[in-house]
Amino acid sequence: MLQTEMLKYQELDGQMRKLKNDLEKNEFRLKGKKLNALRQQAEETVAQLDGKAADLNNQLATLHKKYDDVVKHIDEYSKLAEDIQDTDELNYLRKKIATQLDALQSIEKDLRDVQSTAEKIFAEYADIVKVKLPQIVQQYRECNSKFSKIIEQSQPVVDDLKTQLAKLEKEINPETLEVYKKGRQQNIYPVFVALEGTSRCGGCRMDLSGSAVSHIDDKGYIRCEHCNRIVYKPN
């Protein structure tokens, strides 16, 4: 026969289990998890934008150097052209100046593109950092505060259940308690279920084999071969 204390232990453990499940499914906890994920996503986006901005700065520095070099070459060619009388040489320099002017236009276009991209990055950065992220953080703090109050309110119940469970553990047969804890580790609940009729498991409602039922009086319980619960014979 299964100890009354063991069944009481299982009942209290069930209450603890339900309390934990309710907290896990609490709307403020779930919303807080989503908000935290959004915060992390926003921070990752900001980090990516920082990287893009750094790349643009490098591109900008390179373009400015190219721009200065081209302007320098144009200036040099222009000064040389002033002293050249030979038509062929003059035409040659004019072609080189034209080539540099084309390069200058290309650089100016690239500079405009970089500026346009930078403005988009800055706008997105400002929207996240100044608007979205503060809103997410504020909502997360509110959810976290509300959930913390719920945990605080439930703590006395949790403490009382723990105290009762610890007291009952001292009164329960160690072997039986070990069987129960192993079942709980397998996420089985309830672990102990009453035998229904002459051979039916009170958990899965499946019929047990005659050989298994014949041993139920040996320890006061047997293991269901279908659901792995522990079946005991009720008083």
Side-chain angles (χ1 to χ4, degrees):
M1 183 181 297
L2 192 66
Q3 288 178 278
T4 303
E5 290 80 5
M6 184 67 256
L7 294 177
K8 180 62 177 176
Y9 185 95
Q10 177 171 260
E11 178 188 346
L12 294 174
D13 188 37
Q15 293 177 25
M16 180 76 82
R17 176 174 175 270
K18 183 180 184 304
L19 185 60
K20 289 181 178 179
N21 286 341
D22 288 345
L23 289 174
E24 286 288 323
K25 297 176 182 178
N26 181 270
E27 62 174 315
F28 297 119
R29 179 182 178 278
L30 295 177
K31 185 177 180 181
K33 287 183 68 176
K34 290 181 180 179
L35 287 167
N36 190 48
L38 288 174
R39 178 187 62 79
Q40 292 178 346
Q41 184 180 359
E43 290 175 348
E44 289 173 1
T45 301
V46 168
Q48 291 172 359
L49 291 174
D50 283 337
K52 290 180 180 180
D55 289 340
L56 285 177
N57 280 332
N58 292 333
Q59 291 179 40
L60 194 61
T62 300
L63 288 171
H64 276 305
K65 185 178 183 306
K66 287 182 178 180
Y67 185 92
D68 291 340
D69 289 342
V70 169
V71 170
K72 180 180 177 182
H73 286 139
I74 292 174
D75 186 56
E76 290 175 351
Y77 295 151
S78 297
K79 288 180 179 179
L80 287 173
E82 292 176 359
D83 300 326
I84 293 176
Q85 302 297 323
D86 185 81
T87 303
D88 291 338
E89 287 186 30
L90 190 59
N91 289 335
Y92 174 74
L93 278 177
R94 285 174 178 173
K95 287 180 180 180
K96 290 185 73 69
I97 291 173
T99 300
Q100 293 299 315
L101 287 172
D102 289 341
L104 193 63
Q105 289 181 346
S106 178
I107 292 171
E108 289 175 343
K109 179 183 179 301
D110 290 341
L111 284 169
R112 289 194 296 272
D113 290 342
V114 169
Q115 181 180 357
S116 176
T117 303
E119 289 173 354
K120 291 177 182 177
I121 289 175
F122 179 77
E124 186 177 359
Y125 186 95
D127 182 50
I128 293 175
V129 173
K130 295 182 179 180
V131 182
K132 292 181 179 178
L133 196 53
Q135 290 177 350
I136 291 172
V137 171
Q138 179 61 30
Q139 291 176 31
Y140 174 77
R141 286 175 178 171
E142 291 174 358
C143 282
N144 193 49
S145 176
K146 291 177 181 178
F147 185 59
S148 295
K149 288 181 181 179
I150 291 173
I151 292 178
E152 184 180 348
Q153 291 170 357
S154 66
Q155 195 59 49
V157 178
V158 172
D159 292 341
D160 181 56
L161 287 171
K162 286 182 177 180
T163 299
Q164 293 186 64
L165 288 169
K167 182 179 178 181
L168 284 170
E169 282 193 2
K170 299 176 182 178
E171 303 174 13
I172 299 172
N173 181 289
E175 183 181 352
T176 305
L177 185 60
E178 182 64 20
V179 169
Y180 178 83
K181 288 187 175 182
K182 285 183 178 179
R184 289 292 285 115
Q185 287 174 359
Q186 298 173 20
N187 204 29
I188 296 174
Y189 189 85
V191 177
F192 288 100
V193 293
L195 180 70
E196 294 185 352
T198 58
S199 63
R200 181 173 294 178
C201 171
C204 65
R205 304 294 193 275
M206 297 288 288
D207 286 331
L208 303 167
S209 64
S211 60
V213 175
S214 66
H215 293 291
I216 198 167
D217 291 325
D218 295 345
K219 290 185 178 181
Y221 53 82
I222 56 174
R223 186 177 297 277
C224 175
E225 60 261 43
H226 304 292
C227 66
N228 216 30
R229 288 185 172 87
I230 309 302
V231 183
Y232 67 91
K233 184 183 290 185
N235 298 335

PDB file of all heavy atoms in Angstrom, residues 192-205:
ATOM      1  N   PHE A 192       2.449   8.874  -9.492  1.00  0.00           N
ATOM      2  CA  PHE A 192       1.654   7.794  -8.908  1.00  0.00           C
ATOM      3  C   PHE A 192       0.184   7.970  -9.281  1.00  0.00           C
ATOM      4  O   PHE A 192      -0.391   9.039  -9.089  1.00  0.00           O
ATOM      5  CB  PHE A 192       1.797   7.786  -7.378  1.00  0.00           C
ATOM      6  CG  PHE A 192       3.136   7.300  -6.909  1.00  0.00           C
ATOM      7  CD1 PHE A 192       4.126   8.197  -6.526  1.00  0.00           C
ATOM      8  CD2 PHE A 192       3.407   5.942  -6.849  1.00  0.00           C
ATOM      9  CE1 PHE A 192       5.357   7.752  -6.098  1.00  0.00           C
ATOM     10  CE2 PHE A 192       4.650   5.481  -6.412  1.00  0.00           C
ATOM     11  CZ  PHE A 192       5.622   6.386  -6.045  1.00  0.00           C
ATOM     12  N   VAL A 193      -0.411   6.927  -9.836  1.00  0.00           N
ATOM     13  CA  VAL A 193      -1.837   6.945 -10.186  1.00  0.00           C
ATOM     14  C   VAL A 193      -2.473   5.672  -9.646  1.00  0.00           C
ATOM     15  O   VAL A 193      -1.823   4.626  -9.530  1.00  0.00           O
ATOM     16  CB  VAL A 193      -2.055   7.030 -11.716  1.00  0.00           C
ATOM     17  CG1 VAL A 193      -1.574   8.364 -12.254  1.00  0.00           C
ATOM     18  CG2 VAL A 193      -1.360   5.891 -12.434  1.00  0.00           C
ATOM     19  N   ALA A 194      -3.750   5.787  -9.312  1.00  0.00           N
ATOM     20  CA  ALA A 194      -4.462   4.645  -8.720  1.00  0.00           C
ATOM     21  C   ALA A 194      -4.841   3.615  -9.781  1.00  0.00           C
ATOM     22  O   ALA A 194      -5.078   3.958 -10.949  1.00  0.00           O
ATOM     23  CB  ALA A 194      -5.705   5.130  -7.993  1.00  0.00           C
ATOM     24  N   LEU A 195      -4.856   2.386  -9.386  1.00  0.00           N
ATOM     25  CA  LEU A 195      -5.332   1.307 -10.253  1.00  0.00           C
ATOM     26  C   LEU A 195      -6.845   1.425 -10.389  1.00  0.00           C
ATOM     27  O   LEU A 195      -7.566   1.543  -9.401  1.00  0.00           O
ATOM     28  CB  LEU A 195      -4.966  -0.047  -9.643  1.00  0.00           C
ATOM     29  CG  LEU A 195      -5.392  -1.291 -10.425  1.00  0.00           C
ATOM     30  CD1 LEU A 195      -4.563  -1.412 -11.703  1.00  0.00           C
ATOM     31  CD2 LEU A 195      -5.231  -2.547  -9.567  1.00  0.00           C
ATOM     32  N   GLU A 196      -7.353   1.417 -11.594  1.00  0.00           N
ATOM     33  CA  GLU A 196      -8.792   1.500 -11.822  1.00  0.00           C
ATOM     34  C   GLU A 196      -9.329   0.111 -12.141  1.00  0.00           C
ATOM     35  O   GLU A 196      -8.799  -0.587 -13.023  1.00  0.00           O
ATOM     36  CB  GLU A 196      -9.096   2.457 -12.972  1.00  0.00           C
ATOM     37  CG  GLU A 196      -8.745   3.907 -12.656  1.00  0.00           C
ATOM     38  CD  GLU A 196      -9.160   4.854 -13.774  1.00  0.00           C
ATOM     39  OE1 GLU A 196      -9.580   4.371 -14.856  1.00  0.00           O
ATOM     40  OE2 GLU A 196      -9.062   6.074 -13.582  1.00  0.00           O
ATOM     41  N   GLY A 197     -10.363  -0.265 -11.422  1.00  0.00           N
ATOM     42  CA  GLY A 197     -10.909  -1.615 -11.613  1.00  0.00           C
ATOM     43  C   GLY A 197      -9.898  -2.645 -11.162  1.00  0.00           C
ATOM     44  O   GLY A 197      -9.254  -2.501 -10.114  1.00  0.00           O
ATOM     45  N   THR A 198      -9.723  -3.655 -11.974  1.00  0.00           N
ATOM     46  CA  THR A 198      -8.796  -4.735 -11.603  1.00  0.00           C
ATOM     47  C   THR A 198      -7.459  -4.650 -12.334  1.00  0.00           C
ATOM     48  O   THR A 198      -6.469  -5.224 -11.881  1.00  0.00           O
ATOM     49  CB  THR A 198      -9.435  -6.104 -11.894  1.00  0.00           C
ATOM     50  OG1 THR A 198      -9.778  -6.183 -13.291  1.00  0.00           O
ATOM     51  CG2 THR A 198     -10.687  -6.309 -11.053  1.00  0.00           C
ATOM     52  N   SER A 199      -7.420  -3.896 -13.469  1.00  0.00           N
ATOM     53  CA  SER A 199      -6.168  -3.915 -14.234  1.00  0.00           C
ATOM     54  C   SER A 199      -5.928  -2.699 -15.113  1.00  0.00           C
ATOM     55  O   SER A 199      -5.136  -2.746 -16.043  1.00  0.00           O
ATOM     56  CB  SER A 199      -6.153  -5.158 -15.131  1.00  0.00           C
ATOM     57  OG  SER A 199      -7.221  -5.101 -16.072  1.00  0.00           O
ATOM     58  N   ARG A 200      -6.601  -1.610 -14.828  1.00  0.00           N
ATOM     59  CA  ARG A 200      -6.434  -0.442 -15.692  1.00  0.00           C
ATOM     60  C   ARG A 200      -5.603   0.638 -15.011  1.00  0.00           C
ATOM     61  O   ARG A 200      -5.823   0.977 -13.852  1.00  0.00           O
ATOM     62  CB  ARG A 200      -7.797   0.120 -16.087  1.00  0.00           C
ATOM     63  CG  ARG A 200      -7.721   1.342 -17.023  1.00  0.00           C
ATOM     64  CD  ARG A 200      -9.078   1.756 -17.522  1.00  0.00           C
ATOM     65  NE  ARG A 200      -9.646   0.728 -18.391  1.00  0.00           N
ATOM     66  CZ  ARG A 200     -10.853   0.795 -18.941  1.00  0.00           C
ATOM     67  NH1 ARG A 200     -11.637   1.861 -18.696  1.00  0.00           N
ATOM     68  NH2 ARG A 200     -11.302  -0.176 -19.712  1.00  0.00           N
ATOM     69  N   CYS A 201      -4.655   1.213 -15.783  1.00  0.00           N
ATOM     70  CA  CYS A 201      -3.824   2.321 -15.290  1.00  0.00           C
ATOM     71  C   CYS A 201      -4.674   3.574 -15.152  1.00  0.00           C
ATOM     72  O   CYS A 201      -5.394   3.953 -16.074  1.00  0.00           O
ATOM     73  CB  CYS A 201      -2.664   2.563 -16.247  1.00  0.00           C
ATOM     74  SG  CYS A 201      -1.709   4.067 -15.895  1.00  0.00           S
ATOM     75  N   GLY A 202      -4.586   4.212 -13.996  1.00  0.00           N
ATOM     76  CA  GLY A 202      -5.357   5.431 -13.758  1.00  0.00           C
ATOM     77  C   GLY A 202      -4.801   6.646 -14.456  1.00  0.00           C
ATOM     78  O   GLY A 202      -5.406   7.716 -14.423  1.00  0.00           O
ATOM     79  N   GLY A 203      -3.644   6.476 -15.147  1.00  0.00           N
ATOM     80  CA  GLY A 203      -3.057   7.601 -15.874  1.00  0.00           C
ATOM     81  C   GLY A 203      -3.428   7.587 -17.342  1.00  0.00           C
ATOM     82  O   GLY A 203      -4.089   8.494 -17.835  1.00  0.00           O
ATOM     83  N   CYS A 204      -3.024   6.505 -18.034  1.00  0.00           N
ATOM     84  CA  CYS A 204      -3.271   6.433 -19.480  1.00  0.00           C
ATOM     85  C   CYS A 204      -4.532   5.651 -19.820  1.00  0.00           C
ATOM     86  O   CYS A 204      -4.929   5.579 -20.988  1.00  0.00           O
ATOM     87  CB  CYS A 204      -2.064   5.812 -20.185  1.00  0.00           C
ATOM     88  SG  CYS A 204      -1.749   4.093 -19.730  1.00  0.00           S
ATOM     89  N   ARG A 205      -5.154   5.035 -18.814  1.00  0.00           N
ATOM     90  CA  ARG A 205      -6.403   4.255 -18.959  1.00  0.00           C
ATOM     91  C   ARG A 205      -6.214   2.987 -19.809  1.00  0.00           C
ATOM     92  O   ARG A 205      -7.168   2.443 -20.317  1.00  0.00           O
ATOM     93  CB  ARG A 205      -7.521   5.110 -19.589  1.00  0.00           C
ATOM     94  CG  ARG A 205      -7.832   6.401 -18.844  1.00  0.00           C
ATOM     95  CD  ARG A 205      -8.421   6.124 -17.475  1.00  0.00           C
ATOM     96  NE  ARG A 205      -9.005   7.298 -16.866  1.00  0.00           N
ATOM     97  CZ  ARG A 205      -8.318   8.201 -16.157  1.00  0.00           C
ATOM     98  NH1 ARG A 205      -7.032   8.063 -16.000  1.00  0.00           N
ATOM     99  NH2 ARG A 205      -8.932   9.238 -15.618  1.00  0.00           N
TER     100      ARG A 205
END
